[in-house]
Amino acid sequence: MRTHLVALVAAALLPALAVGAIAVGAAVDASRQAFEDRLAGTAAALASAVDTEIAASVLALSTLATAHSLVDDEGDLAVFHAQAKRTAAMLGARIFLVAPDAGVAFNTEEGFGTPSQPVQPQTAAMVRRVLESGRPAVGDLIRSRRTGEAVAPVLVPVRKGSEVAYALGSVVEAARVSRLLGEQPFRGGGYASLIDGAGKIVARSDFQDRHAGQQVRDWVTDGAKAGPAGILRGRNLSGVEIATAYRRLSAAPGWIVTVAEPRSAFLDGLRRPLAALGLGGLAALAIAMLAAARIGRRVLRPVQSLTARAEAVAASGGNAPPMAPDEPASVREFARLQQAVERAEAALRERAAAVAAGEARLRAVVDTAVDAIVVIDERGTIRSFNRSAEGIFGHAAEEAIGRNVSMLMGAGDAGRHDAYLAAYLRTGERRIIGIGREVEGRRKDGSPVPLDLSIAEWRDGEGRRFFTGTMRDISARKADEARRSLLVGEVNHRAKNALAVVQSVLRLTPADEPRAYAAAVGARVAALARAHSLLAESGWSGADLRAVAERELAPYAAPKGSPNAPPRGPVVSLDGPPLPLAPSAVQPFAMVLHELATNAAKHGALSVPGGRVEVRWRAGRRTGDDGMLRLRWAESGGPPLRGAPARRSFGSRMIEATIRGQLGGAVERHWEAGGLVVEIAVPFLRAAGRGAGLPDDAEAIPSAA
């Protein structure tokens, strides 16, 4: 028996130790994954910060490149030099204007008119590329001639009409980026680096002066070609084995941000707990073996006594003498114990069968209930958890039973529940028991869930007190209430806005001729009504720009197959990708398109047969117009134009006020001989809403209205 006990202990402990070893391996893997995830997360955050720094320079330069003092024929470079100096002060870096021959027209760090040296050869190549492609560019690391500092040039094109006349540039200072990287805390000798497209270190979180301009190891540049982000391993320039997370920049093609830490920092943290775990497992096995041996000796005493008595009976032929007084009394106790166990087993079997039948009936009722039913004891420990509760909270019954009920509560109630329960048990003062109310629960994944809760109190046959909570998930009801409230608020806001627009139209439309006044007001109110119809059809969530344009321009195009249509009626064509507009932008765009169409129908291409209007729009990253929605209205085939009109009409003023005032955009008109051309630029976030991301350029889908 002693051998069997030792074997039993070994059989029980060895699998447990094996499972522990597997768990340790999994924990090591999880720790390594967490280590790499932390590096990757830091690299992603720093890459986003550097992208923002470079994108800010590109955006500031792109905005400055549209200044009238630079692009207009009558522009004044001295005035533009002053504007550039103000922008350079905001950027914290100099701004320079480069001519096509790579000569510097001016530099904000010098007075206007001061002669400047040509740009460096690397920058000259960038200038040619920007002039040819018409797109911004970010160059690799160079040394400034004036200061000797490590910088990276940033250039954007300056357009005059359809040609690129200059390249407007600035620099991203390596020291500034190094300070940005250094703001991130690192552990165990870790550091972050910014590497340009040529594989040179632009900036580093520590020892910037020592490392700036150095070529990184080939395994870093080669490994970074595998994808936009990843984990690499190798030796750094100092020969230290490191784990490196890299992340490519979107604002500077070919550039990457790396975050590295020595692998020893990860391994050193594991050696001590692994050694302690191994020694502890061996010690536990040894102690268990000793305990099994001692317990075996204690159990064997009554067994040996019973064996001796049986041998005596067998040897005497059933006439064994009475037990000697000094014999162990455990023999008699073992016999009585066996009889008592048999009687108790029969009684318990009957009682257990009755209890099991009752519990089965109760469990069937509880588990088939639609509502969640949770039973807790006086300590707040969960004792029962039905299937509906599993569905609502995401915990299996085995996970929930035995834990405190506060695990199912929102953050506000979880910390106070035990105190509330103790106060009720002490004073009997009820706050929620017997009274239903709405509360916030917490699912297994941490997400909140609104509940309708009622609690009942009861006692079992032994007088122990329990509480049963019945809960119903009211998420759908809450969502419906929120949607109704949002819809009511949106409709109220839009109604007020519509009334304000109508009031403005009534006040500002020229009223010299009553009949013309009524027609103009009616047409503008009808345009506003069409925009609101689109919003109503989408549940006030916005509308696609194409749908808005089609509704506003449909009255001016001859319908196909119409017997009353002229042989060559005017043609209206739309060309642009799908572009959802925010609810606040639908009405302004509808009114602008209405005014343009009304003007074309009176004086332009839509007033004569064979006239043509083309409406094109675009918004995307690859076009070089990051952050802007651009719409172009071009008329042709109409009455010839002789230049701009002598005075601005109400429609022109309304378009200006709408685009600039409501959408924060810009309008340009060109009275070309073939017809009027209107170009509109609106910030994408004002047009599509704050929640919209700027899309890549989608293929335009042309159609004819």
Side-chain angles (χ1 to χ4, degrees):
M1 182 175 286
R2 187 181 296 111
T3 302
H4 283 295
L5 285 174
V6 172
L8 178 63
V9 170
L13 276 180
L14 290 177
L17 291 175
V19 171
I22 294 173
V24 168
V28 170
D29 290 340
S31 179
R32 179 173 58 252
Q33 186 63 46
F35 171 78
E36 293 178 354
D37 288 347
R38 178 173 57 80
L39 292 183
T42 304
L46 291 176
S48 176
V50 176
D51 265 334
T52 301
E53 186 80 9
I54 296 175
S57 297
V58 172
L59 180 59
L61 291 174
S62 297
T63 303
L64 186 61
T66 62
H68 291 293
S69 57
L70 178 61
V71 301
D72 289 351
D73 293 334
E74 61 274 20
D76 187 345
L77 284 182
V79 174
F80 178 74
H81 180 268
Q83 291 179 278
K85 289 192 69 173
R86 292 192 294 271
T87 303
M90 290 188 293
L91 285 177
R94 65 182 180 275
I95 294 177
F96 51 89
L97 185 65
V98 186
D101 60 356
V104 178
F106 70 78
N107 188 322
T108 55
E109 291 185 348
E110 300 172 348
F112 180 76
T114 302
S116 299
Q117 295 181 353
V119 296
Q120 298 187 35
Q122 301 96 315
T123 308
M126 281 183 61
V127 171
R128 289 192 297 272
R129 190 163 66 251
V130 170
L131 294 176
E132 292 172 359
S133 66
R135 295 182 179 180
V138 179
D140 292 331
L141 186 71
I142 61 174
R143 290 284 180 179
S144 172
R145 287 174 175 170
R146 298 180 68 258
T147 64
E149 296 176 346
V151 296
V154 179
L155 296 176
V156 301
V158 177
R159 296 180 180 274
K160 281 195 172 185
S162 60
E163 297 182 354
V164 180
Y166 299 98
L168 187 63
S170 184
V171 295
V172 176
E173 297 179 352
R176 182 173 179 176
V177 178
S178 176
R179 290 192 296 272
L180 177 65
L181 299 179
E183 293 175 358
Q184 181 70 29
F186 299 96
R187 298 187 298 185
Y191 57 88
S193 302
L194 175 62
I195 301 170
D196 66 13
K200 293 183 179 180
I201 297 176
V202 177
R204 183 163 152 159
S205 58
D206 60 356
F207 307 109
Q208 165 70 10
D209 295 335
R210 182 192 307 171
H211 295 284
Q214 284 188 334
Q215 190 78 25
V216 298
R217 299 275 183 158
D218 291 341
W219 61 267
V220 177
T221 54
D222 294 342
K225 297 176 182 178
I231 300 294
L232 305 173
R233 298 173 182 84
R235 294 186 179 276
N236 62 9
L237 296 174
S238 301
V240 177
E241 187 75 13
I242 59 173
T244 300
Y246 73 90
R247 188 84 173 196
R248 289 184 186 172
L249 298 186
S250 59
W255 288 35
I256 60 172
V257 169
T258 64
V259 176
E261 283 190 14
R263 295 194 66 193
S264 59
F266 165 71
L267 297 176
D268 291 342
L270 293 177
R271 289 193 180 97
R272 181 174 295 177
L274 288 178
L277 186 61
L279 294 175
L282 292 175
L285 183 60
I287 293 172
M289 293 296 183
L290 292 175
R294 291 182 60 85
I295 293 172
R297 285 197 299 269
R298 296 182 60 185
V299 172
L300 280 176
R301 287 196 188 105
V303 174
Q304 290 170 346
S305 178
L306 287 172
T307 302
R309 176 60 179 166
E311 291 174 350
V313 172
S316 63
N319 295 318
M323 293 179 60
D326 57 346
E327 283 187 334
S330 59
V331 174
R332 188 180 299 112
E333 292 169 355
F334 265 91
R336 288 207 311 268
L337 177 61
Q338 182 180 3
Q339 296 171 1
V341 168
E342 291 175 353
R343 291 193 301 270
E345 182 182 6
L348 287 174
R349 188 180 300 113
E350 294 177 359
R351 183 174 179 182
V355 171
E359 288 184 349
R361 289 192 295 271
L362 178 60
R363 175 55 59 186
V365 172
V366 171
D367 280 344
T368 56
V370 176
D371 296 336
I373 300 176
V374 179
V375 178
I376 66 172
D377 59 18
E378 293 180 339
R379 296 182 178 180
T381 303
I382 298 174
R383 297 302 181 188
S384 178
F385 201 77
N386 75 339
R387 292 177 183 173
S388 293
E390 292 179 339
I392 291 177
F393 294 102
H395 295 279
E398 295 79 7
E399 297 173 338
I401 294 175
R403 298 177 63 183
N404 192 281
V405 71
S406 60
M407 66 180 285
L408 308 177
M409 299 178 180
D413 294 328
R416 299 190 292 265
H417 174 262
D418 289 345
Y420 286 159
L421 184 57
Y424 170 70
L425 296 175
R426 185 176 64 254
T427 65
E429 179 183 353
R430 297 188 175 192
R431 293 192 176 185
I432 188 174
I433 297 174
I435 305 171
R437 74 171 186 180
E438 293 183 5
V439 298
E440 182 183 277
R442 181 176 62 206
R443 295 189 178 94
K444 183 177 181 179
D445 61 4
S447 61
V449 54
L451 301 169
D452 202 349
L453 169 67
S454 61
I455 299 178
E457 178 184 358
W458 55 280
R459 294 177 183 267
D460 65 2
E462 299 178 2
R464 293 177 299 183
R465 185 156 36 185
F466 295 89
F467 303 91
T468 298
T470 304
M471 290 158 280
R472 175 167 296 178
D473 185 351
I474 57 174
S475 300
R477 190 182 80 191
K478 288 291 187 182
D480 288 342
E481 292 174 356
R483 282 193 294 269
R484 285 196 297 271
S485 176
L486 179 63
L487 182 57
V488 169
E490 184 66 21
V491 170
N492 182 46
H493 172 71
R494 294 296 161 211
K496 290 181 179 178
N497 189 44
L499 291 175
V501 172
V502 171
Q503 184 182 23
S504 176
V505 167
L506 292 173
R507 186 175 65 253
L508 297 178
T509 301
D512 300 338
E513 297 182 10
R515 184 172 299 175
Y517 173 78
V521 170
R524 286 167 179 142
V525 172
L528 184 62
R530 287 191 293 271
H532 279 256
S533 295
L534 268 177
L535 286 172
E537 291 170 6
S538 66
W540 299 91
S541 62
D544 192 83
L545 178 56
R546 179 179 296 277
V548 175
E550 286 177 348
R551 290 213 179 183
E552 293 303 325
L553 299 179
Y556 302 99
K560 295 181 180 179
S562 173
N564 300 323
R568 267 185 88 242
V571 176
V572 177
S573 66
L574 307 178
D575 187 0
L579 186 62
L581 296 177
S584 60
V586 171
Q587 174 257 316
F589 270 99
M591 296 302 291
V592 167
L593 290 171
H594 168 76
E595 294 297 333
L596 290 171
T598 301
N599 180 70
K602 289 181 179 180
H603 312 291
L606 298 181
S607 66
V608 297
R612 184 177 183 86
V613 171
E614 292 184 355
V615 182
R616 297 176 179 269
W617 62 89
R618 60 190 172 95
R621 294 185 176 89
R622 293 194 294 272
T623 62
D625 291 325
D626 285 11
M628 300 299 291
L629 162 62
R630 297 188 181 275
L631 184 144
R632 187 175 188 270
W633 171 285
E635 300 181 20
S636 60
L641 299 180
R642 298 180 179 178
R647 65 184 187 88
R648 295 171 63 194
S649 65
F650 167 74
S652 298
R653 294 197 304 273
M654 185 172 184
I655 290 172
E656 289 278 351
T658 301
I659 294 299
R660 296 183 187 278
Q662 294 189 40
L663 298 177
V667 181
E668 292 185 5
R669 295 180 181 82
H670 307 283
W671 284 272
E672 300 178 359
L676 174 65
V677 175
V678 179
E679 294 182 346
I680 296 173
V682 175
F684 182 79
L685 293 180
R686 295 287 293 272
R690 292 288 175 184
L694 186 62
D696 290 332
D697 293 332
E699 181 180 355
I701 305 174
S703 68

